[in-house]
Amino acid sequence: MFGVFSVPSFVSPRVSKTSRLIAKMSVTGMRNAGLSIESISIKPPSHLTYDLKGVIKLALAEDAGDRGDVTCMATIPSDMEVEAHFLAKEDGVVAGIVLAESVFSEVDPTLKVEWSRKDGDFVHKGLQFGKVHGRAHSIVVAERVVLNFMQRMSGIATLTKEMADAARPAYILETRKTAPGLRLVDKWAVLIGGGRNHRMGLFDMVMIKDNHISIAGGVQNSLRSVDIYLEENNLHWGVEVVFSLLKFSADGFRTNKEMMLDSLVVPQPDGDVDVSMLKEAVDLINGRFETEASGNVTLETVHKIGQTGVTYISSGALTHSVKALDISLKIDTELALERDLYFYPAWSYAIPSTILKVPLSLLEALIWTSLTYYVIGYSPEPGRFFRQWILLFAVHFVAISKFRFVASVCRTMVASIAVGSLLILSAFSFSGFVIPKASMPTWLNWGFWVFPLSYGEIGLLVNEFLATRWQKGGGTEQKSGAVERLEVPEIPNGGKPFEMLYNLGN
């Protein structure tokens, strides 16, 4: 259990306060990693020697080996394209989206990735927050590496967010207790979760700990040596001193050169912590140093520690004991089969086939009209022949379009046959072939008007019986409102006179 404080500039003119600001990532480093600077909402911390692209390549190489994904090669066609969706299987803060894009790009630059969320956004269980489209082989090869990065980073970001909110007004920091090889990745996740970065490594900050103090012969000797080293090398780095209670009491007060902070968080048998000594030390320093508390920092204790007035709270648990956030990448198998076997949505077939059917429907209607018009004995007027041809084409075209619509909606043979049979039965029943319109109840009149045959029947009657030979008295017509009365003295074949009433409005 240790107390930590940052040595301010008045101790040594050449030593500045510890900086907690996020260093900028170099443009070259970002591009080498396959990342777009403009698309990054939270940039990774700076590391002069860290090769992010190399880490990605190593992760892919250790997974694929020298043969690649043998299961994928054995079971999936090489040219098959699929679409896979990222699914959050629990609530949390998503992180690693930018890194995932870099992995996909490294495996196959032709993969297309889209996101509905960005790094640092909260996702709920069941939310699809991204998708990737392209070759199935490439997606499957990249899948595990992408998820390993994203699940770990999202777990770190989620815990960091919870601890950062609870620690206020103090800031939450991680430590160097990161997974080997993933230092920058883990610290990036802390930034995404709302925390701040401690030192990146041994190279970017002076941090005097117990072993340094013991070997140097005390805190004062350590500080003096650091002061000389920084001056000789013209360095302006932050300095932190970490010490135990014993060294603070025996060495710090005796020399009286520095105000040593004994930042202790003492665990209690009931699971609580005692922060009274920490609070006393913070009050004693009275803002002259930036202070940092560490040890026994958990999600349950961090709020109490943050209320003592410390500037920072560091927790190794953020990165060394992280629980991964459950995220999956599921391939849309139905879409994959459609694209691989050339199956497409029914509407994509129905619409073009209906349009292409227009010339054939016109030809079929023309042939049928030519064969039946004069044989049956319709009025031998070219205009009425043409109108009947167009009428039959319209009835035929609408009818086949309706059944194509049924097929595109039902999508299965069984459902299409069932619905189609019901429509045929209804068409013959309500179009006047089985049930006369006059016998239908009023509430069932809609059944007459929803079928093309009804309009075809009306059109044929109107086209024929408005001909001159059917009109009484040289073409005069008697009309009363919406009812048209056509009276004919006799049928052309010598039959008895008849009178036809046709209600056009009902």
Side-chain angles (χ1 to χ4, degrees), residues 425-449 454 457 501-503 506:
L425 177 61
S426 302
F428 281 102
S429 298
F430 297 141
S431 298
F433 292 94
V434 177
I435 305 175
K437 184 174 181 297
S439 301
M440 293 183 187
T442 304
W443 61 269
L444 201 55
N445 281 344
W446 62 268
F448 180 82
W449 297 108
S454 301
E457 179 186 0
L501 285 175
Y502 191 78
N503 191 332
N506 295 325

PDB file of all heavy atoms in Angstrom, residues 425-449 454 457 501-503 506:
ATOM      1  N   LEU A 425     -60.557 -18.336 -55.935  1.00  0.00           N
ATOM      2  CA  LEU A 425     -61.910 -18.649 -55.482  1.00  0.00           C
ATOM      3  C   LEU A 425     -62.710 -17.376 -55.216  1.00  0.00           C
ATOM      4  O   LEU A 425     -63.879 -17.257 -55.611  1.00  0.00           O
ATOM      5  CB  LEU A 425     -61.834 -19.503 -54.213  1.00  0.00           C
ATOM      6  CG  LEU A 425     -63.174 -19.877 -53.561  1.00  0.00           C
ATOM      7  CD1 LEU A 425     -64.017 -20.708 -54.533  1.00  0.00           C
ATOM      8  CD2 LEU A 425     -62.940 -20.643 -52.263  1.00  0.00           C
ATOM      9  N   SER A 426     -62.065 -16.401 -54.575  1.00  0.00           N
ATOM     10  CA  SER A 426     -62.747 -15.143 -54.274  1.00  0.00           C
ATOM     11  C   SER A 426     -63.071 -14.375 -55.547  1.00  0.00           C
ATOM     12  O   SER A 426     -64.140 -13.758 -55.666  1.00  0.00           O
ATOM     13  CB  SER A 426     -61.866 -14.284 -53.355  1.00  0.00           C
ATOM     14  OG  SER A 426     -61.568 -14.965 -52.158  1.00  0.00           O
ATOM     15  N   ALA A 427     -62.150 -14.410 -56.517  1.00  0.00           N
ATOM     16  CA  ALA A 427     -62.366 -13.677 -57.764  1.00  0.00           C
ATOM     17  C   ALA A 427     -63.593 -14.196 -58.501  1.00  0.00           C
ATOM     18  O   ALA A 427     -64.447 -13.421 -58.956  1.00  0.00           O
ATOM     19  CB  ALA A 427     -61.128 -13.780 -58.646  1.00  0.00           C
ATOM     20  N   PHE A 428     -63.710 -15.509 -58.625  1.00  0.00           N
ATOM     21  CA  PHE A 428     -64.865 -16.077 -59.327  1.00  0.00           C
ATOM     22  C   PHE A 428     -66.149 -15.910 -58.520  1.00  0.00           C
ATOM     23  O   PHE A 428     -67.235 -15.779 -59.089  1.00  0.00           O
ATOM     24  CB  PHE A 428     -64.616 -17.554 -59.635  1.00  0.00           C
ATOM     25  CG  PHE A 428     -63.728 -17.772 -60.822  1.00  0.00           C
ATOM     26  CD1 PHE A 428     -62.397 -18.106 -60.661  1.00  0.00           C
ATOM     27  CD2 PHE A 428     -64.222 -17.623 -62.113  1.00  0.00           C
ATOM     28  CE1 PHE A 428     -61.574 -18.290 -61.756  1.00  0.00           C
ATOM     29  CE2 PHE A 428     -63.401 -17.808 -63.216  1.00  0.00           C
ATOM     30  CZ  PHE A 428     -62.072 -18.143 -63.044  1.00  0.00           C
ATOM     31  N   SER A 429     -66.028 -15.900 -57.203  1.00  0.00           N
ATOM     32  CA  SER A 429     -67.224 -15.781 -56.366  1.00  0.00           C
ATOM     33  C   SER A 429     -67.785 -14.369 -56.383  1.00  0.00           C
ATOM     34  O   SER A 429     -69.002 -14.163 -56.509  1.00  0.00           O
ATOM     35  CB  SER A 429     -66.894 -16.188 -54.924  1.00  0.00           C
ATOM     36  OG  SER A 429     -66.475 -17.533 -54.865  1.00  0.00           O
ATOM     37  N   PHE A 430     -66.903 -13.375 -56.264  1.00  0.00           N
ATOM     38  CA  PHE A 430     -67.362 -12.002 -56.092  1.00  0.00           C
ATOM     39  C   PHE A 430     -67.428 -11.203 -57.391  1.00  0.00           C
ATOM     40  O   PHE A 430     -67.908 -10.077 -57.392  1.00  0.00           O
ATOM     41  CB  PHE A 430     -66.442 -11.270 -55.105  1.00  0.00           C
ATOM     42  CG  PHE A 430     -66.453 -11.858 -53.725  1.00  0.00           C
ATOM     43  CD1 PHE A 430     -65.289 -11.953 -52.979  1.00  0.00           C
ATOM     44  CD2 PHE A 430     -67.636 -12.334 -53.175  1.00  0.00           C
ATOM     45  CE1 PHE A 430     -65.300 -12.500 -51.711  1.00  0.00           C
ATOM     46  CE2 PHE A 430     -67.653 -12.882 -51.900  1.00  0.00           C
ATOM     47  CZ  PHE A 430     -66.487 -12.968 -51.168  1.00  0.00           C
ATOM     48  N   SER A 431     -66.896 -11.750 -58.478  1.00  0.00           N
ATOM     49  CA  SER A 431     -66.912 -11.005 -59.741  1.00  0.00           C
ATOM     50  C   SER A 431     -68.202 -11.206 -60.518  1.00  0.00           C
ATOM     51  O   SER A 431     -68.319 -10.746 -61.656  1.00  0.00           O
ATOM     52  CB  SER A 431     -65.719 -11.420 -60.606  1.00  0.00           C
ATOM     53  OG  SER A 431     -64.512 -11.102 -59.961  1.00  0.00           O
ATOM     54  N   GLY A 432     -69.167 -11.916 -59.954  1.00  0.00           N
ATOM     55  CA  GLY A 432     -70.456 -12.102 -60.606  1.00  0.00           C
ATOM     56  C   GLY A 432     -70.622 -13.441 -61.275  1.00  0.00           C
ATOM     57  O   GLY A 432     -71.707 -13.751 -61.777  1.00  0.00           O
ATOM     58  N   PHE A 433     -69.599 -14.275 -61.291  1.00  0.00           N
ATOM     59  CA  PHE A 433     -69.697 -15.581 -61.936  1.00  0.00           C
ATOM     60  C   PHE A 433     -70.448 -16.581 -61.058  1.00  0.00           C
ATOM     61  O   PHE A 433     -71.150 -17.457 -61.561  1.00  0.00           O
ATOM     62  CB  PHE A 433     -68.301 -16.121 -62.258  1.00  0.00           C
ATOM     63  CG  PHE A 433     -67.591 -15.346 -63.321  1.00  0.00           C
ATOM     64  CD1 PHE A 433     -66.727 -14.326 -62.991  1.00  0.00           C
ATOM     65  CD2 PHE A 433     -67.815 -15.622 -64.664  1.00  0.00           C
ATOM     66  CE1 PHE A 433     -66.076 -13.599 -63.963  1.00  0.00           C
ATOM     67  CE2 PHE A 433     -67.168 -14.902 -65.648  1.00  0.00           C
ATOM     68  CZ  PHE A 433     -66.293 -13.880 -65.307  1.00  0.00           C
ATOM     69  N   VAL A 434     -70.258 -16.501 -59.758  1.00  0.00           N
ATOM     70  CA  VAL A 434     -70.913 -17.424 -58.831  1.00  0.00           C
ATOM     71  C   VAL A 434     -72.028 -16.714 -58.065  1.00  0.00           C
ATOM     72  O   VAL A 434     -73.164 -17.185 -58.016  1.00  0.00           O
ATOM     73  CB  VAL A 434     -69.886 -18.030 -57.848  1.00  0.00           C
ATOM     74  CG1 VAL A 434     -70.589 -18.944 -56.838  1.00  0.00           C
ATOM     75  CG2 VAL A 434     -68.816 -18.803 -58.604  1.00  0.00           C
ATOM     76  N   ILE A 435     -71.697 -15.578 -57.477  1.00  0.00           N
ATOM     77  CA  ILE A 435     -72.680 -14.799 -56.721  1.00  0.00           C
ATOM     78  C   ILE A 435     -72.992 -13.532 -57.501  1.00  0.00           C
ATOM     79  O   ILE A 435     -72.107 -12.692 -57.695  1.00  0.00           O
ATOM     80  CB  ILE A 435     -72.140 -14.422 -55.326  1.00  0.00           C
ATOM     81  CG1 ILE A 435     -71.698 -15.678 -54.562  1.00  0.00           C
ATOM     82  CG2 ILE A 435     -73.184 -13.657 -54.535  1.00  0.00           C
ATOM     83  CD1 ILE A 435     -71.045 -15.374 -53.231  1.00  0.00           C
ATOM     84  N   PRO A 436     -74.213 -13.361 -57.988  1.00  0.00           N
ATOM     85  CA  PRO A 436     -74.562 -12.121 -58.696  1.00  0.00           C
ATOM     86  C   PRO A 436     -74.369 -10.916 -57.783  1.00  0.00           C
ATOM     87  O   PRO A 436     -74.610 -10.988 -56.580  1.00  0.00           O
ATOM     88  CB  PRO A 436     -76.040 -12.320 -59.055  1.00  0.00           C
ATOM     89  CG  PRO A 436     -76.254 -13.798 -59.006  1.00  0.00           C
ATOM     90  CD  PRO A 436     -75.338 -14.311 -57.941  1.00  0.00           C
ATOM     91  N   LYS A 437     -73.947  -9.829 -58.380  1.00  0.00           N
ATOM     92  CA  LYS A 437     -73.685  -8.639 -57.575  1.00  0.00           C
ATOM     93  C   LYS A 437     -74.932  -8.169 -56.843  1.00  0.00           C
ATOM     94  O   LYS A 437     -74.873  -7.684 -55.716  1.00  0.00           O
ATOM     95  CB  LYS A 437     -73.152  -7.520 -58.462  1.00  0.00           C
ATOM     96  CG  LYS A 437     -72.770  -6.263 -57.686  1.00  0.00           C
ATOM     97  CD  LYS A 437     -72.124  -5.257 -58.589  1.00  0.00           C
ATOM     98  CE  LYS A 437     -71.739  -4.016 -57.789  1.00  0.00           C
ATOM     99  NZ  LYS A 437     -72.902  -3.340 -57.222  1.00  0.00           N
ATOM    100  N   ALA A 438     -76.080  -8.315 -57.488  1.00  0.00           N
ATOM    101  CA  ALA A 438     -77.321  -7.872 -56.856  1.00  0.00           C
ATOM    102  C   ALA A 438     -77.656  -8.686 -55.614  1.00  0.00           C
ATOM    103  O   ALA A 438     -78.400  -8.224 -54.737  1.00  0.00           O
ATOM    104  CB  ALA A 438     -78.469  -7.957 -57.861  1.00  0.00           C
ATOM    105  N   SER A 439     -77.101  -9.905 -55.534  1.00  0.00           N
ATOM    106  CA  SER A 439     -77.387 -10.768 -54.387  1.00  0.00           C
ATOM    107  C   SER A 439     -76.400 -10.579 -53.242  1.00  0.00           C
ATOM    108  O   SER A 439     -76.563 -11.187 -52.183  1.00  0.00           O
ATOM    109  CB  SER A 439     -77.366 -12.240 -54.829  1.00  0.00           C
ATOM    110  OG  SER A 439     -78.318 -12.475 -55.851  1.00  0.00           O
ATOM    111  N   MET A 440     -75.381  -9.770 -53.472  1.00  0.00           N
ATOM    112  CA  MET A 440     -74.379  -9.558 -52.421  1.00  0.00           C
ATOM    113  C   MET A 440     -74.898  -8.560 -51.397  1.00  0.00           C
ATOM    114  O   MET A 440     -75.512  -7.550 -51.758  1.00  0.00           O
ATOM    115  CB  MET A 440     -73.077  -9.013 -53.022  1.00  0.00           C
ATOM    116  CG  MET A 440     -72.342  -9.976 -53.926  1.00  0.00           C
ATOM    117  SD  MET A 440     -70.789  -9.233 -54.496  1.00  0.00           S
ATOM    118  CE  MET A 440     -70.254 -10.454 -55.684  1.00  0.00           C
ATOM    119  N   PRO A 441     -74.657  -8.805 -50.112  1.00  0.00           N
ATOM    120  CA  PRO A 441     -75.006  -7.797 -49.100  1.00  0.00           C
ATOM    121  C   PRO A 441     -74.151  -6.545 -49.288  1.00  0.00           C
ATOM    122  O   PRO A 441     -73.061  -6.596 -49.866  1.00  0.00           O
ATOM    123  CB  PRO A 441     -74.687  -8.499 -47.779  1.00  0.00           C
ATOM    124  CG  PRO A 441     -73.734  -9.585 -48.126  1.00  0.00           C
ATOM    125  CD  PRO A 441     -74.063 -10.013 -49.525  1.00  0.00           C
ATOM    126  N   THR A 442     -74.639  -5.437 -48.803  1.00  0.00           N
ATOM    127  CA  THR A 442     -73.951  -4.157 -49.010  1.00  0.00           C
ATOM    128  C   THR A 442     -72.529  -4.171 -48.471  1.00  0.00           C
ATOM    129  O   THR A 442     -71.602  -3.656 -49.104  1.00  0.00           O
ATOM    130  CB  THR A 442     -74.742  -3.028 -48.334  1.00  0.00           C
ATOM    131  OG1 THR A 442     -76.077  -3.028 -48.845  1.00  0.00           O
ATOM    132  CG2 THR A 442     -74.091  -1.674 -48.602  1.00  0.00           C
ATOM    133  N   TRP A 443     -72.341  -4.791 -47.309  1.00  0.00           N
ATOM    134  CA  TRP A 443     -71.010  -4.772 -46.697  1.00  0.00           C
ATOM    135  C   TRP A 443     -69.992  -5.608 -47.471  1.00  0.00           C
ATOM    136  O   TRP A 443     -68.792  -5.523 -47.237  1.00  0.00           O
ATOM    137  CB  TRP A 443     -71.085  -5.279 -45.254  1.00  0.00           C
ATOM    138  CG  TRP A 443     -71.590  -6.698 -45.119  1.00  0.00           C
ATOM    139  CD1 TRP A 443     -72.875  -7.090 -44.955  1.00  0.00           C
ATOM    140  CD2 TRP A 443     -70.797  -7.893 -45.162  1.00  0.00           C
ATOM    141  NE1 TRP A 443     -72.972  -8.456 -44.886  1.00  0.00           N
ATOM    142  CE2 TRP A 443     -71.694  -8.981 -45.002  1.00  0.00           C
ATOM    143  CE3 TRP A 443     -69.443  -8.158 -45.312  1.00  0.00           C
ATOM    144  CZ2 TRP A 443     -71.272 -10.299 -44.993  1.00  0.00           C
ATOM    145  CZ3 TRP A 443     -69.018  -9.475 -45.301  1.00  0.00           C
ATOM    146  CH2 TRP A 443     -69.922 -10.534 -45.140  1.00  0.00           C
ATOM    147  N   LEU A 444     -70.494  -6.410 -48.468  1.00  0.00           N
ATOM    148  CA  LEU A 444     -69.600  -7.252 -49.250  1.00  0.00           C
ATOM    149  C   LEU A 444     -69.343  -6.686 -50.647  1.00  0.00           C
ATOM    150  O   LEU A 444     -68.673  -7.308 -51.468  1.00  0.00           O
ATOM    151  CB  LEU A 444     -70.189  -8.663 -49.356  1.00  0.00           C
ATOM    152  CG  LEU A 444     -69.230  -9.812 -49.699  1.00  0.00           C
ATOM    153  CD1 LEU A 444     -68.075  -9.871 -48.718  1.00  0.00           C
ATOM    154  CD2 LEU A 444     -69.977 -11.136 -49.740  1.00  0.00           C
ATOM    155  N   ASN A 445     -69.851  -5.482 -50.914  1.00  0.00           N
ATOM    156  CA  ASN A 445     -69.666  -4.895 -52.245  1.00  0.00           C
ATOM    157  C   ASN A 445     -68.194  -4.680 -52.597  1.00  0.00           C
ATOM    158  O   ASN A 445     -67.816  -4.685 -53.769  1.00  0.00           O
ATOM    159  CB  ASN A 445     -70.405  -3.554 -52.336  1.00  0.00           C
ATOM    160  CG  ASN A 445     -71.897  -3.752 -52.570  1.00  0.00           C
ATOM    161  OD1 ASN A 445     -72.334  -4.837 -52.954  1.00  0.00           O
ATOM    162  ND2 ASN A 445     -72.681  -2.714 -52.321  1.00  0.00           N
ATOM    163  N   TRP A 446     -67.359  -4.466 -51.572  1.00  0.00           N
ATOM    164  CA  TRP A 446     -65.940  -4.243 -51.845  1.00  0.00           C
ATOM    165  C   TRP A 446     -65.322  -5.442 -52.557  1.00  0.00           C
ATOM    166  O   TRP A 446     -64.370  -5.295 -53.332  1.00  0.00           O
ATOM    167  CB  TRP A 446     -65.178  -3.982 -50.542  1.00  0.00           C
ATOM    168  CG  TRP A 446     -65.225  -5.142 -49.582  1.00  0.00           C
ATOM    169  CD1 TRP A 446     -66.131  -5.351 -48.596  1.00  0.00           C
ATOM    170  CD2 TRP A 446     -64.336  -6.267 -49.554  1.00  0.00           C
ATOM    171  NE1 TRP A 446     -65.883  -6.523 -47.936  1.00  0.00           N
ATOM    172  CE2 TRP A 446     -64.773  -7.107 -48.502  1.00  0.00           C
ATOM    173  CE3 TRP A 446     -63.229  -6.635 -50.302  1.00  0.00           C
ATOM    174  CZ2 TRP A 446     -64.136  -8.302 -48.192  1.00  0.00           C
ATOM    175  CZ3 TRP A 446     -62.582  -7.818 -49.994  1.00  0.00           C
ATOM    176  CH2 TRP A 446     -63.032  -8.644 -48.942  1.00  0.00           C
ATOM    177  N   GLY A 447     -65.883  -6.646 -52.297  1.00  0.00           N
ATOM    178  CA  GLY A 447     -65.349  -7.840 -52.924  1.00  0.00           C
ATOM    179  C   GLY A 447     -65.496  -7.830 -54.432  1.00  0.00           C
ATOM    180  O   GLY A 447     -64.716  -8.452 -55.156  1.00  0.00           O
ATOM    181  N   PHE A 448     -66.522  -7.113 -54.916  1.00  0.00           N
ATOM    182  CA  PHE A 448     -66.737  -7.022 -56.360  1.00  0.00           C
ATOM    183  C   PHE A 448     -65.697  -6.132 -57.028  1.00  0.00           C
ATOM    184  O   PHE A 448     -65.288  -6.377 -58.162  1.00  0.00           O
ATOM    185  CB  PHE A 448     -68.148  -6.482 -56.620  1.00  0.00           C
ATOM    186  CG  PHE A 448     -68.479  -6.338 -58.078  1.00  0.00           C
ATOM    187  CD1 PHE A 448     -68.904  -7.426 -58.825  1.00  0.00           C
ATOM    188  CD2 PHE A 448     -68.368  -5.102 -58.709  1.00  0.00           C
ATOM    189  CE1 PHE A 448     -69.209  -7.287 -60.173  1.00  0.00           C
ATOM    190  CE2 PHE A 448     -68.668  -4.955 -60.051  1.00  0.00           C
ATOM    191  CZ  PHE A 448     -69.095  -6.058 -60.789  1.00  0.00           C
ATOM    192  N   TRP A 449     -65.274  -5.091 -56.297  1.00  0.00           N
ATOM    193  CA  TRP A 449     -64.421  -4.077 -56.918  1.00  0.00           C
ATOM    194  C   TRP A 449     -62.929  -4.336 -56.764  1.00  0.00           C
ATOM    195  O   TRP A 449     -62.120  -3.614 -57.359  1.00  0.00           O
ATOM    196  CB  TRP A 449     -64.746  -2.699 -56.334  1.00  0.00           C
ATOM    197  CG  TRP A 449     -66.141  -2.253 -56.628  1.00  0.00           C
ATOM    198  CD1 TRP A 449     -67.174  -2.161 -55.751  1.00  0.00           C
ATOM    199  CD2 TRP A 449     -66.650  -1.855 -57.896  1.00  0.00           C
ATOM    200  NE1 TRP A 449     -68.312  -1.727 -56.382  1.00  0.00           N
ATOM    201  CE2 TRP A 449     -68.021  -1.529 -57.711  1.00  0.00           C
ATOM    202  CE3 TRP A 449     -66.107  -1.747 -59.179  1.00  0.00           C
ATOM    203  CZ2 TRP A 449     -68.833  -1.106 -58.747  1.00  0.00           C
ATOM    204  CZ3 TRP A 449     -66.913  -1.320 -60.212  1.00  0.00           C
ATOM    205  CH2 TRP A 449     -68.258  -1.005 -59.994  1.00  0.00           C
ATOM    206  N   SER A 454     -63.926  -8.023 -62.509  1.00  0.00           N
ATOM    207  CA  SER A 454     -65.106  -7.160 -62.430  1.00  0.00           C
ATOM    208  C   SER A 454     -64.986  -5.995 -63.399  1.00  0.00           C
ATOM    209  O   SER A 454     -65.929  -5.665 -64.131  1.00  0.00           O
ATOM    210  CB  SER A 454     -65.275  -6.637 -61.002  1.00  0.00           C
ATOM    211  OG  SER A 454     -65.420  -7.710 -60.089  1.00  0.00           O
ATOM    212  N   GLU A 457     -65.299  -7.237 -66.992  1.00  0.00           N
ATOM    213  CA  GLU A 457     -66.693  -7.491 -67.359  1.00  0.00           C
ATOM    214  C   GLU A 457     -67.419  -6.192 -67.690  1.00  0.00           C
ATOM    215  O   GLU A 457     -68.117  -6.089 -68.712  1.00  0.00           O
ATOM    216  CB  GLU A 457     -67.389  -8.209 -66.202  1.00  0.00           C
ATOM    217  CG  GLU A 457     -68.857  -8.515 -66.456  1.00  0.00           C
ATOM    218  CD  GLU A 457     -69.527  -9.086 -65.223  1.00  0.00           C
ATOM    219  OE1 GLU A 457     -68.842  -9.242 -64.183  1.00  0.00           O
ATOM    220  OE2 GLU A 457     -70.735  -9.353 -65.286  1.00  0.00           O
ATOM    221  N   LEU A 501     -80.662  -3.791 -67.727  1.00  0.00           N
ATOM    222  CA  LEU A 501     -80.355  -2.738 -66.760  1.00  0.00           C
ATOM    223  C   LEU A 501     -78.951  -3.006 -66.217  1.00  0.00           C
ATOM    224  O   LEU A 501     -78.674  -4.107 -65.735  1.00  0.00           O
ATOM    225  CB  LEU A 501     -81.362  -2.749 -65.609  1.00  0.00           C
ATOM    226  CG  LEU A 501     -82.748  -2.182 -65.924  1.00  0.00           C
ATOM    227  CD1 LEU A 501     -83.663  -2.386 -64.729  1.00  0.00           C
ATOM    228  CD2 LEU A 501     -82.655  -0.707 -66.247  1.00  0.00           C
ATOM    229  N   TYR A 502     -78.107  -2.006 -66.327  1.00  0.00           N
ATOM    230  CA  TYR A 502     -76.755  -2.185 -65.786  1.00  0.00           C
ATOM    231  C   TYR A 502     -76.430  -1.003 -64.892  1.00  0.00           C
ATOM    232  O   TYR A 502     -76.436   0.139 -65.343  1.00  0.00           O
ATOM    233  CB  TYR A 502     -75.728  -2.293 -66.916  1.00  0.00           C
ATOM    234  CG  TYR A 502     -74.397  -2.741 -66.397  1.00  0.00           C
ATOM    235  CD1 TYR A 502     -74.191  -4.080 -66.094  1.00  0.00           C
ATOM    236  CD2 TYR A 502     -73.390  -1.829 -66.156  1.00  0.00           C
ATOM    237  CE1 TYR A 502     -72.995  -4.502 -65.585  1.00  0.00           C
ATOM    238  CE2 TYR A 502     -72.202  -2.246 -65.642  1.00  0.00           C
ATOM    239  CZ  TYR A 502     -72.002  -3.596 -65.364  1.00  0.00           C
ATOM    240  OH  TYR A 502     -70.809  -3.999 -64.854  1.00  0.00           O
ATOM    241  N   ASN A 503     -76.215  -1.269 -63.675  1.00  0.00           N
ATOM    242  CA  ASN A 503     -75.951  -0.215 -62.707  1.00  0.00           C
ATOM    243  C   ASN A 503     -74.444   0.044 -62.665  1.00  0.00           C
ATOM    244  O   ASN A 503     -73.681  -0.794 -62.211  1.00  0.00           O
ATOM    245  CB  ASN A 503     -76.438  -0.655 -61.319  1.00  0.00           C
ATOM    246  CG  ASN A 503     -76.442   0.495 -60.337  1.00  0.00           C
ATOM    247  OD1 ASN A 503     -75.660   1.423 -60.476  1.00  0.00           O
ATOM    248  ND2 ASN A 503     -77.318   0.419 -59.355  1.00  0.00           N
ATOM    249  N   ASN A 506     -73.209   1.049 -58.661  1.00  0.00           N
ATOM    250  CA  ASN A 506     -73.267   0.178 -57.488  1.00  0.00           C
ATOM    251  C   ASN A 506     -72.332  -1.003 -57.647  1.00  0.00           C
ATOM    252  O   ASN A 506     -72.025  -1.419 -58.717  1.00  0.00           O
ATOM    253  CB  ASN A 506     -74.694  -0.316 -57.270  1.00  0.00           C
ATOM    254  CG  ASN A 506     -75.625   0.840 -56.937  1.00  0.00           C
ATOM    255  OD1 ASN A 506     -75.215   1.771 -56.269  1.00  0.00           O
ATOM    256  ND2 ASN A 506     -76.864   0.763 -57.417  1.00  0.00           N
TER     257      ASN A 506
END
